[in-house]
Amino acid sequence: MVDDTDRTGLAVIGAGYWGPNLVRNAQATPGLRLEYLCDLDVGRARSVLGGYSTVRATGSLDEVLADPAVGAVAVATPAATHLKVALTALEAGKHVLVEKPLAANLAEGRRLVEAAEDRGLVLMLDHTYCYTPAVKHLRELVRDGGIGDVQYLDSVRINLGLVQRDVDVLWDLAPHDLSVFAAILPDDLVPVEVAAHGSDPIGAGRACVAHLTVRLSNGAMAHIHVNWLSPTKIRTMVVGGSAKTVVWDDLNPTQRLSVYDRGVVTTQREQTIVSYRLGDMVAPALVEQEALRGVMAEFAASIAEGRRPLTDGRSGLRVLAILEAATESLAAGGRFVAVPAEVKEYA
Amino acid sequence: MVDDTDRTGLAVIGAGYWGPNLVRNAQATPGLRLEYLCDLDVGRARSVLGGYSTVRATGSLDEVLADPAVGAVAVATPAATHLKVALTALEAGKHVLVEKPLAANLAEGRRLVEAAEDRGLVLMLDHTYCYTPAVKHLRELVRDGGIGDVQYLDSVRINLGLVQRDVDVLWDLAPHDLSVFAAILPDDLVPVEVAAHGSDPIGAGRACVAHLTVRLSNGAMAHIHVNWLSPTKIRTMVVGGSAKTVVWDDLNPTQRLSVYDRGVVTTQREQTIVSYRLGDMVAPALVEQEALRGVMAEFAASIAEGRRPLTDGRSGLRVLAILEAATESLAAGGRFVAVPAEVKEYA
Amino acid sequence: MVDDTDRTGLAVIGAGYWGPNLVRNAQATPGLRLEYLCDLDVGRARSVLGGYSTVRATGSLDEVLADPAVGAVAVATPAATHLKVALTALEAGKHVLVEKPLAANLAEGRRLVEAAEDRGLVLMLDHTYCYTPAVKHLRELVRDGGIGDVQYLDSVRINLGLVQRDVDVLWDLAPHDLSVFAAILPDDLVPVEVAAHGSDPIGAGRACVAHLTVRLSNGAMAHIHVNWLSPTKIRTMVVGGSAKTVVWDDLNPTQRLSVYDRGVVTTQREQTIVSYRLGDMVAPALVEQEALRGVMAEFAASIAEGRRPLTDGRSGLRVLAILEAATESLAAGGRFVAVPAEVKEYA
Amino acid sequence: MVDDTDRTGLAVIGAGYWGPNLVRNAQATPGLRLEYLCDLDVGRARSVLGGYSTVRATGSLDEVLADPAVGAVAVATPAATHLKVALTALEAGKHVLVEKPLAANLAEGRRLVEAAEDRGLVLMLDHTYCYTPAVKHLRELVRDGGIGDVQYLDSVRINLGLVQRDVDVLWDLAPHDLSVFAAILPDDLVPVEVAAHGSDPIGAGRACVAHLTVRLSNGAMAHIHVNWLSPTKIRTMVVGGSAKTVVWDDLNPTQRLSVYDRGVVTTQREQTIVSYRLGDMVAPALVEQEALRGVMAEFAASIAEGRRPLTDGRSGLRVLAILEAATESLAAGGRFVAVPAEVKEYA
């Protein structure tokens, strides 16, 4: 049994769609001690906790932040409120885990990162997919050079999804893909410019289908297709390399990763000669684990060890920088828009 | 047995990759009588015919065109030669079936269409997929209104493919998708503008991965993803409608079409209310048939009946018009380029 | 909020593999009030409940049964202990939910059924699959005659599974298939005789791979393949009917049921003429729901309403009767062994 | 170009379902020179050859066998006629390729084998699957010990298939599975006894659904499930080994073989300890090739080299011996029936 004094007291803020998952996983994390579930609608918080819990429900964020037993908060409120909730928490000296996206825009995100860094507090994004066994393995394959040079990336995330009221499909879904790109790509391979096309065929008032093209610093093209209107569900990412190509199919629990020793080989003599390599495919054995469990463990560990978590605030800024450029491109009819050069520092 | 006098004498021009398929299917088509296989390399033509054939091999196009027993030719030579070969054939009074694309550019394509129309000859494209049972069924569903208003189209055609020497991946693969769009969409739903992004990560000298966005006249977005470098093979098209959505998976022989009675429903009151409809999925029974058999049958029938074939020269112009705009967009960094208004007449 | 007085107090007995699932689902069931988790190893029970629960952990079954707040128990202990635990509970006047199989053998199972029926108590089996939306739908299709006459059944349940110490693969896995057969087949279609083949290629001391053939009262053959050693996981059941055939693939969350309007048609004239019908396939829309939630709801409802649950003790006897005959067949080299005629009464 | 004098003149006997495939592949085989297609219905033979062939159609087997240009025949007539046709051909000094099964029963099969061996002629079965790249690779994995000891085999071959008039589903389909077993298993691992269960739910007069259990000489169980009535098509074989397990899915062209480094590990100390090994899965790169092309090449080569082909007459006897035992088991209510000990000599 972990001694209570070694555990960080945690409050979960927001009892909506995502909050119950945070509650469940926080309770299963040895380094955390869940103290509160806080929601403006305290009845909702009570309902989420159910009739068998010793965790306190509250409607008052002030009460939570004033409690010295609370060392950290996990924020699962709407993105528009992240600045206010997270900043207040940081100013109260609490470590903060924020649901993606970090904030409603890049400027607000920067304020949060600065506030955390000024105080030496952990600010972490729950970029959940980065903590799956599949992405961890993919990260090793890509960063350790096993796949050779990155030639292209292609991510499809489509489903009959909840049409959001406040954000378009890019802001809703693409953070997943962008955060994985950030996690797996080498530090010196960064997004340079972005073009986005979207459409709203149902009159929802915002893009429901969108295509995002990201030009990387080595010239490679990364493409993301997000769609709220698809009757079929696809969550597939392809990372094409000069040596190997990896396909990540998140909906295939028995074979999430497929590593193909296959590709096009070019030989430069007088002219380019193209040939093909048809090798085996290997599906590495991966031990299944709930991703949010890994998020919670990393949050607890980074607090305990006083270090930056894998998906720290800066990784959130990287995502925001690209999303802002994408929104600008959408408004400008799809032309390429530069990503701020500062993203290099967000690796 | 069909009387020989009822059958159109045919010569296949070009004994390369596609020629043998034309030879095989022409021989199985009751309305045609295969007379020649013609290739500059007559040895290659002989080799394709094999040691058991009564069909003549020849290296001389002139010989073929001078033979009154030849009423029609099927051209399977490189696209750059289509103008010369097909025009000569039309001028010799022969009906012409051309492998896609119709010609190397829109201007050359127009000359062929004019030449055919001036002489009352059939000029047909072998847009093979349009003759599959799946696309025929899809055409009915989309044009007869069964799927409601077309909201989006999404086509993926990726594979470890032959990197072409003369054309990029868009010109090589996208004609398949574009010709199917042309075949299934209602006549008044036409492409308006096009944006293309491409990349050449292997130094082939032309785009090997590309994304094409086509804005349709009703505002809907059609997207095509083509890729020569993918280790996995995908050939899927989604046609999203206000009532139903159809997924065509050409690599699933037992279930090529899936019709989903599923989607997002919007109700306009004071504000838009979005809800969901989760109905059954129906996979219609389709009788398998080789598509090229249908191409040949349509070619023979349109000659015999003196009518325009389903995929006549104008459908080839429609594809060329979009490809040219796509090439212009690629060169212009991905901005939208208008498709010539004349495509409306190519329906 | 449900008034506590309307809720049945429940104790879960056994904190092993299955217990935690019972705990979680009991807490989410409005008609139940979870009072205890009981395990001989009380530390294990405490660990399952975790640090945030108001539910009591105990090592004493006597304490549980003596508590008047407990009206029902859910037994998740090894099969060999079911007779003792469940009988004691019934004798203490508690309703009982038992993990499958009902008991270690048919005779013990009969004693439990008699004990429950004598006292007017609910005795229910957690034949989980019977409460999935897929099986409920399948039950309607089969019993309401939508598929016509049942012609054959085929069930495959293979996986790299836990080799049990006390029972062979038939007793471990086939209860799932047999209980579904019992749930979906019309009451007058019952098993008549059984043949079983098994092998133990790893020297485990009991069959690890087995095939079970069940001859039904209408002459149709039902086959079950169970295997602990398969590297791939398959859970598929086919129910072939004279009008339609249904495939249930439990591992395909987006399409668990496929109803084929396809089959062989025989016409009797002078001789049998066989022809084929190739109709559409329909995948009915099913709302996903955790099966164990349905089990708990049915347990609570049958107690509240004083009625037999869908999977009552008699359905457990039906499974035991077939398993005993299968064991006898295994020992007799695979010959057919009659199922006791009393199974007709277990419908 | 191969000199005609090096090529064996071939006649195909039978222009029914399978004949056209033999004609096409014979024409593409360098070591063969197709002379005749022979069918009692000479019009049918002409129709199969089509209007462009130099191959002769004939209705007279005598004419074919009297022609010294014919050195070999390929027999694709109904099984009941194999004895007569093949024996006549052997007696005329021709090498013979027979469509499976070798003959209508074991006794007739033996006569053919003896006739061929007495005259030093090649007698070969077209056990097509044995010539696929997948089975060749599988053969190496199993025979070279890569998968360790063979622990179980499981083959499923189900489809909405042609209900045969003369044979039941076992005789129609199981030869495929049995011939593959024969090809891949080590020579000293032979079938010992067989049990078969079948049913005829459509009143066809013979089993349409059947399960065949084959006990091997090392105690392992091989199981075959064949079914003419299944709306879905499955052709999967699993070969479970102590080191690795291979799954062959013949309907997955991009991944026919999957080799799992996964399984159950038993350690013998005081008692058996069972543990699990979860390693990677490897899908070996296989070059697609039409199997019948390989059959023809082997037939030509074995004639030219005067050697036994891979699937010689004895492999046909092995299949017949098992099928006869299966028929006896079916008639005897499913009890195990011994396979004649002579099958050891058929390896």
Side-chain angles (χ1 to χ4, degrees):
Chain A
M1 201 63 171
V2 180
D3 189 322
D4 253 25
T5 55
D6 293 340
R7 299 200 291 171
T8 301
L10 178 77
V12 171
I13 318 296
Y17 172 73
W18 197 237
N21 295 322
L22 293 173
V23 166
R24 182 168 46 82
N25 280 283
Q27 292 186 0
T29 302
L32 298 175
R33 192 185 61 243
L34 184 61
E35 299 280 352
Y36 295 94
L37 173 58
C38 172
D39 197 289
L40 288 179
D41 178 349
V42 68
R44 186 174 203 171
R46 275 199 203 98
S47 168
V48 163
L49 290 172
Y52 304 92
S53 177
T54 58
V55 176
R56 281 167 286 179
T58 176
S60 162
L61 180 57
D62 290 343
E63 178 193 353
V64 167
L65 299 182
D67 188 338
V70 172
V73 300
V75 179
T77 59
T81 69
H82 283 186
L83 177 67
K84 188 178 163 195
V85 173
L87 197 57
T88 311
L90 290 166
E91 287 169 354
K94 314 297 186 188
H95 303 286
V96 174
L97 173 69
V98 193
E99 195 191 347
K100 63 89 197 164
L102 173 56
N105 56 54
L106 185 55
E108 292 188 359
R110 282 197 200 102
R111 287 184 59 191
L112 291 176
V113 170
E114 282 162 20
E117 295 185 349
D118 287 351
R119 286 165 182 80
L121 293 167
V122 169
L123 174 63
M124 175 171 162
L125 271 286
D126 80 337
H127 289 151
T128 320
Y129 287 103
C130 299
Y131 295 88
T132 59
V135 174
K136 285 184 197 168
H137 194 96
L138 186 55
R139 174 180 161 92
E140 281 173 32
L141 284 171
V142 177
R143 290 175 66 102
D144 294 5
I147 71 159
D149 297 326
V150 173
Q151 295 186 331
Y152 67 91
L153 295 102
D154 187 78
S155 194
V156 178
R157 185 175 301 274
I158 68 180
N159 194 13
L160 197 57
L162 219 54
V163 172
Q164 303 290 318
R165 295 190 174 192
D166 48 349
V167 293
D168 67 12
V169 69
L170 275 172
W171 280 77
D172 184 39
L173 297 184
H176 294 303
D177 312 284
L178 294 171
S179 63
V180 171
F181 287 174
I184 64 173
L185 291 179
D187 290 349
D188 60 350
L189 189 49
V190 293
V192 173
E193 56 177 6
V194 170
H197 298 150
S199 75
D200 171 22
I202 62 166
R206 63 201 65 87
C208 297
V209 180
H211 292 269
L212 184 64
T213 300
V214 181
R215 190 75 63 180
L216 300 180
S217 50
N218 71 345
M221 189 166 71
H223 186 270
I224 297 171
H225 174 202
V226 282
N227 186 334
W228 278 331
L229 308 180
S230 169
T232 53
K233 187 175 183 176
I234 302 179
R235 287 185 183 172
T236 306
M237 184 182 289
V238 183
V239 183
S242 56
K244 294 187 180 176
T245 293
V246 190
V247 177
W248 168 37
D249 180 353
D250 194 55
L251 301 183
N252 185 351
T254 61
Q255 189 178 330
R256 296 201 201 267
L257 286 188
S258 306
V259 184
Y260 292 87
D261 182 16
R262 191 174 300 180
V264 173
V265 181
T266 51
T267 321
Q268 302 289 348
R269 289 202 203 142
E270 291 172 43
Q271 60 172 22
T272 301
I273 296 168
V274 176
S275 58
Y276 299 87
R277 193 183 63 251
L278 285 175
D280 296 347
M281 183 273 275
V282 176
L286 299 173
V287 178
E288 289 283 299
Q289 194 203 335
E290 186 172 356
L292 200 45
R293 199 63 53 89
V295 170
M296 285 294 173
E298 174 74 358
F299 188 44
S302 59
I303 293 170
E305 299 165 18
R307 62 163 172 84
R308 286 174 58 187
L310 174 63
T311 52
D312 69 347
R314 285 165 175 262
S315 73
L317 292 182
R318 190 164 177 170
V319 169
L320 285 176
I322 298 173
L323 289 176
E324 283 206 351
T327 296
E328 190 180 335
S329 173
L330 264 187
R335 71 166 171 76
F336 273 100
V337 170
V339 178
E342 66 183 70
V343 293
K344 289 176 198 163
E345 302 157 27
Y346 299 159
Chain B
M1 200 65 172
V2 179
D3 189 322
D4 252 26
T5 56
D6 293 341
R7 299 199 292 170
T8 302
L10 178 76
V12 170
I13 318 295
Y17 172 72
W18 196 237
N21 295 323
L22 292 174
V23 166
R24 183 167 45 80
N25 280 283
Q27 292 187 358
T29 302
L32 298 176
R33 191 185 62 243
L34 184 62
E35 298 281 353
Y36 294 94
L37 173 58
C38 173
D39 196 289
L40 289 179
D41 178 349
V42 68
R44 186 173 202 171
R46 277 200 202 98
S47 167
V48 163
L49 290 172
Y52 303 92
S53 177
T54 58
V55 175
R56 280 168 286 179
T58 175
S60 163
L61 180 58
D62 291 343
E63 178 192 353
V64 167
L65 298 182
D67 187 338
V70 173
V73 300
V75 179
T77 59
T81 68
H82 283 186
L83 176 67
K84 190 179 162 195
V85 174
L87 198 55
T88 311
L90 290 167
E91 287 169 354
K94 314 296 185 189
H95 302 286
V96 173
L97 172 69
V98 193
E99 195 190 347
K100 62 87 198 165
L102 172 55
N105 56 54
L106 184 55
E108 293 188 357
R110 283 197 199 102
R111 288 184 58 192
L112 291 176
V113 170
E114 282 161 19
E117 295 186 349
D118 287 352
R119 287 164 181 79
L121 293 168
V122 169
L123 174 63
M124 174 170 162
L125 271 285
D126 81 336
H127 289 150
T128 320
Y129 287 104
C130 299
Y131 295 89
T132 59
V135 173
K136 284 184 200 168
H137 194 96
L138 186 55
R139 174 181 161 93
E140 282 173 31
L141 283 171
V142 177
R143 290 175 66 102
D144 296 5
I147 71 160
D149 297 327
V150 173
Q151 295 186 332
Y152 67 91
L153 295 102
D154 188 77
S155 194
V156 178
R157 185 176 302 275
I158 68 180
N159 195 11
L160 197 56
L162 218 55
V163 172
Q164 303 291 317
R165 293 189 176 193
D166 47 349
V167 294
D168 67 13
V169 70
L170 274 173
W171 281 75
D172 183 39
L173 297 183
H176 294 304
D177 312 285
L178 294 171
S179 62
V180 171
F181 288 173
I184 63 174
L185 291 179
D187 289 349
D188 59 350
L189 190 48
V190 293
V192 172
E193 57 177 6
V194 169
H197 298 149
S199 75
D200 170 23
I202 62 166
R206 62 200 65 89
C208 296
V209 181
H211 292 268
L212 184 63
T213 300
V214 181
R215 190 76 61 179
L216 300 180
S217 49
N218 72 344
M221 188 165 72
H223 186 270
I224 297 171
H225 174 201
V226 284
N227 186 334
W228 278 331
L229 309 179
S230 169
T232 54
K233 187 175 184 174
I234 302 179
R235 286 185 184 173
T236 307
M237 184 182 289
V238 183
V239 183
S242 55
K244 294 187 181 177
T245 293
V246 189
V247 177
W248 168 37
D249 181 353
D250 193 55
L251 300 183
N252 185 351
T254 61
Q255 188 178 331
R256 295 200 201 267
L257 286 189
S258 306
V259 184
Y260 292 87
D261 182 15
R262 192 174 298 180
V264 174
V265 181
T266 51
T267 321
Q268 301 290 348
R269 290 201 203 144
E270 291 172 44
Q271 60 171 20
T272 300
I273 296 169
V274 176
S275 59
Y276 298 86
R277 192 182 66 253
L278 283 176
D280 296 348
M281 183 272 275
V282 175
L286 300 172
V287 177
E288 288 282 300
Q289 193 204 335
E290 187 172 356
L292 200 44
R293 198 64 53 91
V295 170
M296 284 294 171
E298 173 75 357
F299 188 43
S302 58
I303 293 170
E305 301 164 17
R307 64 164 172 82
R308 286 174 58 186
L310 173 64
T311 52
D312 69 347
R314 285 166 176 261
S315 74
L317 292 183
R318 190 164 178 170
V319 169
L320 285 177
I322 299 173
L323 289 176
E324 283 206 352
T327 296
E328 190 181 336
S329 172
L330 264 188
R335 71 165 170 77
F336 273 100
V337 170
V339 178
E342 65 184 69
V343 293
K344 289 176 198 162
E345 301 157 28
Y346 299 159
Chain C
M1 201 62 172
V2 179
D3 189 320
D4 252 26
T5 57
D6 294 339
R7 301 200 291 171
T8 302
L10 179 77
V12 171
I13 318 296
Y17 172 72
W18 196 236
N21 295 322
L22 292 173
V23 165
R24 183 168 45 81
N25 280 283
Q27 291 187 358
T29 301
L32 299 175
R33 189 185 64 244
L34 184 61
E35 298 281 352
Y36 295 95
L37 173 58
C38 172
D39 197 289
L40 290 179
D41 179 349
V42 67
R44 187 172 200 171
R46 276 199 202 98
S47 167
V48 163
L49 290 172
Y52 304 92
S53 176
T54 58
V55 176
R56 280 167 287 179
T58 175
S60 163
L61 180 58
D62 291 343
E63 178 191 354
V64 166
L65 298 182
D67 188 338
V70 172
V73 300
V75 179
T77 60
T81 68
H82 283 186
L83 176 68
K84 190 180 161 195
V85 174
L87 197 56
T88 312
L90 290 166
E91 288 169 353
K94 315 296 186 189
H95 303 287
V96 173
L97 173 69
V98 192
E99 194 190 347
K100 62 87 199 164
L102 172 56
N105 55 55
L106 184 57
E108 293 189 357
R110 282 199 200 102
R111 288 184 58 191
L112 290 176
V113 170
E114 281 162 19
E117 295 186 350
D118 287 351
R119 289 166 181 79
L121 293 168
V122 170
L123 174 63
M124 175 170 161
L125 270 286
D126 81 335
H127 289 149
T128 320
Y129 287 103
C130 299
Y131 295 89
T132 58
V135 174
K136 285 183 198 167
H137 195 96
L138 185 56
R139 175 181 160 92
E140 283 173 31
L141 284 171
V142 178
R143 289 175 66 102
D144 296 5
I147 72 160
D149 296 327
V150 173
Q151 295 186 333
Y152 66 91
L153 295 102
D154 188 77
S155 193
V156 179
R157 185 176 302 276
I158 67 179
N159 194 13
L160 198 57
L162 218 54
V163 173
Q164 303 291 318
R165 294 192 174 189
D166 47 350
V167 293
D168 67 11
V169 69
L170 275 172
W171 281 76
D172 183 37
L173 298 183
H176 294 304
D177 311 285
L178 294 171
S179 61
V180 172
F181 287 174
I184 64 174
L185 291 179
D187 289 349
D188 60 351
L189 191 49
V190 293
V192 172
E193 56 177 5
V194 169
H197 298 150
S199 75
D200 170 22
I202 63 167
R206 62 200 66 87
C208 297
V209 180
H211 292 268
L212 184 62
T213 300
V214 181
R215 190 76 62 178
L216 300 180
S217 50
N218 71 346
M221 188 166 71
H223 186 270
I224 297 171
H225 174 201
V226 283
N227 186 333
W228 279 330
L229 309 179
S230 168
T232 53
K233 187 175 183 175
I234 301 180
R235 286 185 184 173
T236 306
M237 185 182 289
V238 183
V239 183
S242 55
K244 295 188 179 176
T245 294
V246 190
V247 177
W248 168 37
D249 181 353
D250 194 55
L251 301 182
N252 184 351
T254 62
Q255 187 178 332
R256 294 200 202 267
L257 286 189
S258 306
V259 184
Y260 293 86
D261 182 16
R262 191 174 299 180
V264 173
V265 182
T266 51
T267 321
Q268 301 289 348
R269 289 199 205 147
E270 292 171 42
Q271 60 171 21
T272 301
I273 296 168
V274 176
S275 59
Y276 298 87
R277 193 182 65 251
L278 284 175
D280 296 348
M281 184 272 276
V282 175
L286 300 173
V287 178
E288 288 282 300
Q289 193 203 336
E290 187 172 356
L292 200 43
R293 198 63 54 90
V295 170
M296 285 292 173
E298 173 75 357
F299 188 43
S302 58
I303 293 171
E305 300 164 18
R307 63 164 172 83
R308 286 173 58 186
L310 173 63
T311 52
D312 69 347
R314 284 164 176 262
S315 73
L317 292 182
R318 190 165 177 170
V319 169
L320 285 177
I322 299 173
L323 289 175
E324 283 206 352
T327 295
E328 190 180 335
S329 173
L330 263 187
R335 72 165 170 77
F336 273 100
V337 170
V339 178
E342 64 183 71
V343 293
K344 290 177 198 163
E345 302 157 28
Y346 299 160
Chain D
M1 200 65 172
V2 179
D3 190 320
D4 252 26
T5 57
D6 293 341
R7 300 199 291 171
T8 302
L10 179 75
V12 171
I13 318 295
Y17 172 72
W18 197 237
N21 295 322
L22 293 173
V23 166
R24 182 166 47 80
N25 280 283
Q27 292 187 358
T29 302
L32 299 175
R33 190 186 62 243
L34 184 61
E35 298 281 352
Y36 295 94
L37 173 58
C38 173
D39 197 289
L40 289 179
D41 178 350
V42 68
R44 186 173 202 171
R46 278 200 201 97
S47 167
V48 164
L49 291 171
Y52 302 93
S53 177
T54 58
V55 176
R56 280 168 286 178
T58 175
S60 162
L61 180 59
D62 290 343
E63 178 192 354
V64 167
L65 297 183
D67 188 339
V70 172
V73 300
V75 179
T77 59
T81 69
H82 283 186
L83 176 68
K84 189 180 162 195
V85 174
L87 197 56
T88 311
L90 290 166
E91 287 169 355
K94 314 298 186 188
H95 303 285
V96 173
L97 172 69
V98 193
E99 195 190 347
K100 61 90 195 161
L102 172 55
N105 55 55
L106 184 56
E108 293 188 358
R110 281 198 200 102
R111 288 184 58 190
L112 291 176
V113 169
E114 280 162 21
E117 295 186 350
D118 287 351
R119 288 166 181 78
L121 292 168
V122 170
L123 174 63
M124 175 171 161
L125 271 286
D126 81 335
H127 288 150
T128 321
Y129 287 103
C130 299
Y131 295 89
T132 58
V135 173
K136 285 184 198 166
H137 195 96
L138 186 56
R139 175 180 159 92
E140 283 174 29
L141 284 171
V142 177
R143 290 175 66 102
D144 296 5
I147 72 160
D149 296 328
V150 172
Q151 295 186 331
Y152 67 89
L153 295 102
D154 188 78
S155 194
V156 179
R157 184 175 303 274
I158 68 179
N159 194 12
L160 197 57
L162 218 55
V163 172
Q164 302 291 318
R165 295 190 175 190
D166 48 348
V167 293
D168 67 12
V169 70
L170 275 172
W171 280 76
D172 183 39
L173 298 183
H176 294 303
D177 312 283
L178 294 170
S179 62
V180 172
F181 287 174
I184 64 174
L185 292 179
D187 289 349
D188 60 350
L189 190 48
V190 293
V192 173
E193 55 177 7
V194 169
H197 298 149
S199 74
D200 171 22
I202 61 166
R206 62 200 64 88
C208 297
V209 180
H211 292 268
L212 184 63
T213 300
V214 182
R215 191 76 61 179
L216 301 180
S217 50
N218 72 344
M221 188 166 70
H223 186 271
I224 296 172
H225 173 202
V226 283
N227 186 334
W228 278 332
L229 309 180
S230 168
T232 54
K233 187 175 183 175
I234 302 180
R235 286 185 184 172
T236 306
M237 185 183 288
V238 183
V239 183
S242 55
K244 293 186 180 177
T245 294
V246 189
V247 177
W248 168 37
D249 181 353
D250 193 55
L251 300 183
N252 185 350
T254 62
Q255 189 178 331
R256 295 201 202 267
L257 286 188
S258 306
V259 183
Y260 292 87
D261 183 16
R262 192 175 299 179
V264 173
V265 182
T266 51
T267 321
Q268 302 290 346
R269 288 201 204 142
E270 292 172 44
Q271 59 172 23
T272 301
I273 296 168
V274 176
S275 58
Y276 298 87
R277 192 183 65 252
L278 285 175
D280 296 348
M281 184 272 276
V282 176
L286 299 172
V287 177
E288 288 282 301
Q289 193 203 334
E290 186 171 357
L292 200 43
R293 198 64 53 90
V295 170
M296 285 294 173
E298 173 74 357
F299 188 44
S302 59
I303 293 170
E305 299 165 19
R307 61 163 172 84
R308 286 174 57 187
L310 174 62
T311 52
D312 69 348
R314 286 166 174 260
S315 74
L317 292 182
R318 189 165 179 171
V319 169
L320 285 177
I322 299 173
L323 289 175
E324 283 206 352
T327 295
E328 189 181 336
S329 174
L330 264 187
R335 71 167 170 76
F336 273 100
V337 170
V339 178
E342 65 183 72
V343 294
K344 289 176 197 161
E345 301 158 28
Y346 299 160

